[in-house]
């Protein structure tokens, strides 16, 4: 068994245990393997171990990897910042964009999504901490942005994505994640029919699942430590 296969089994076991603790069915939580900075060969090992969904932050690096793995059953999620000059690459190569936080970027993605592909699956990144410099729309501006994005023809709004500040302990991590869950539930109560709440990383999978995450994004615990943290 490869290290990656071993790690994937351990992460799946963590997800299953967290679901059991939270009284949730394990089928309600998807695993996104975050493969940023790791080569196509590592993604291939994860594919061989049954993993299908992969998250990438650096768009140019990802597009090269997606090309190397063309024909493989991988589903690609963009989870990094999307500048205006990168929207075409995202629209043409990814299946999901989880880090959309401005209408202008969403409009470009919709305009540039090729007709022969399924609509781009989208999550809105929300800044639940209120930090002024961090990416993500504010909770106050979220409902209007969600309604506008849900009307764009070549996008399908699936839900929300959050990257909260690391919390000191399980209880405060749960409280942070619960804020995102409340925003998600409120949008659904307004009729948006969202099914994806993307939150939780290697360090806080359990707290995120406890608070109602439907997709955890795990890098380090699957692929190991990253030696590079920028593009
Ligand atoms: C890198 C990254 C992850 C994975 O983080 P780990 O701590 O390595 O599990 C998840 N989400 C986003 C947005 C990331 O940039």
């Amino acid at each position: 068994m490869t290290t990656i296969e071993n790690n994937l089994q351990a992460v799946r076991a963590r997800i299953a245990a967290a679901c059991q603790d939270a009284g949730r069915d394990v089928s309600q939580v998807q695993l996104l393997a975050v493969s940023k900075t790791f080569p196509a060969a590592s993604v291939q090992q994860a594919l061989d171990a049954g993993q299908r969904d992969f998250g990438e932050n650096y768009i140019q690096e990802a597009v090269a990897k997606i090309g190397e793995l063309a024909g493989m059953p991988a589903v690609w999620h963009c989870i990094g910042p999307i500048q205006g000059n990168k929207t075409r690459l995202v629209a043409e190569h990814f299946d999901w964009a989880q880090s959309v936080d401005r209408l202008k970027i969403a409009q470009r993605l919709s305009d540039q999504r090729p007709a022969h592909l399924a609509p781009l699956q989208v999550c809105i990144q929300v800044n639940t901490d209120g930090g002024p410099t961090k990416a993500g729309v504010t909770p106050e501006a979220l409902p209007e942005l969600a309604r506008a994005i849900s009307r764009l023809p070549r996008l399908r709004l699936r839900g929300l994505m959050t990257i909260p500040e690391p919390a000191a302990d399980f209880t405060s991590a749960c409280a942070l994640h619960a804020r995102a869950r409340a925003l998600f539930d409120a949008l659904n109560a307004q009729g948006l029919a969202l099914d994806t709440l993307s939150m939780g990383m290697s360090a806080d999978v359990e707290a995120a699942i406890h608070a109602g995450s439907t997709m955890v994004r795990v890098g380090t615990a699957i692929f190991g430590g990253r030696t590079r943290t920028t593009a």
Side-chain angles (χ1 to χ4, degrees):
M1 205 190 286
T2 65
T3 305
I4 287 172
E5 186 175 3
N6 240 323
N7 290 347
L8 268 170
Q9 282 196 1
V11 170
R12 289 186 194 124
R14 272 177 75 186
I15 293 171
C19 284
Q20 186 158 25
D21 281 351
R24 301 181 60 196
D25 193 280
V26 71
S27 67
Q28 293 174 357
V29 181
Q30 249 185 301
L31 173 58
L32 180 69
V34 177
S35 46
K36 63 182 174 206
T37 80
F38 288 95
S42 300
V43 175
Q44 184 65 62
Q45 285 186 15
L47 280 163
D48 292 343
Q51 178 63 29
R52 289 293 171 264
D53 288 270
F54 294 91
E56 291 279 342
N57 290 56
Y58 313 115
I59 291 161
Q60 247 132 359
E61 171 196 320
V63 167
K65 227 180 281 184
I66 293 168
E68 283 183 72
L69 292 163
M72 294 295 159
V75 178
W76 295 98
H77 300 240
C78 177
I79 59 172
I82 306 173
Q83 311 298 335
N85 62 357
K86 295 280 169 55
T87 53
R88 184 174 296 281
L89 284 176
V90 174
E92 290 181 349
H93 297 279
F94 282 86
D95 303 290
W96 286 65
Q98 294 201 9
S99 39
V100 175
D101 62 0
R102 281 178 291 156
L103 184 56
K104 194 164 160 248
I105 294 296
Q107 278 164 338
R108 290 175 67 96
L109 290 170
S110 182
D111 291 345
Q112 294 169 345
R113 182 66 170 172
H116 69 278
L117 296 178
L120 186 66
Q121 311 295 301
V122 165
C123 290
I124 298 175
Q125 185 174 349
V126 193
N127 181 349
T128 46
D129 300 322
T133 58
K134 258 185 53 177
V137 67
T138 63
E140 294 70 33
L142 172 64
E144 191 182 332
L145 180 62
R147 278 192 297 275
I149 289 180
S150 71
R151 289 193 285 260
L152 292 173
R154 298 293 293 142
L155 304 185
R156 181 158 168 234
L157 182 61
R158 296 292 296 271
L160 305 180
M161 189 270 265
T162 62
I163 316 174
E165 294 298 330
D169 53 48
F170 181 80
T171 308
S172 35
C174 287
L176 274 177
H177 290 307
R179 273 195 235 166
R181 179 73 205 200
L183 295 170
F184 177 77
D185 290 342
L187 290 177
N188 274 333
Q190 292 164 26
L192 275 174
L194 307 180
D195 63 8
T196 303
L197 180 56
S198 171
M199 61 184 190
M201 315 203 291
S202 291
D204 61 353
V205 160
E206 287 78 9
I209 289 175
H210 186 84
S213 169
T214 74
M215 187 184 287
V216 290
R217 308 180 307 267
V218 178
T220 309
I222 296 172
F223 295 105
R226 290 178 292 272
T227 55
R228 183 161 66 74
T229 53
T230 61

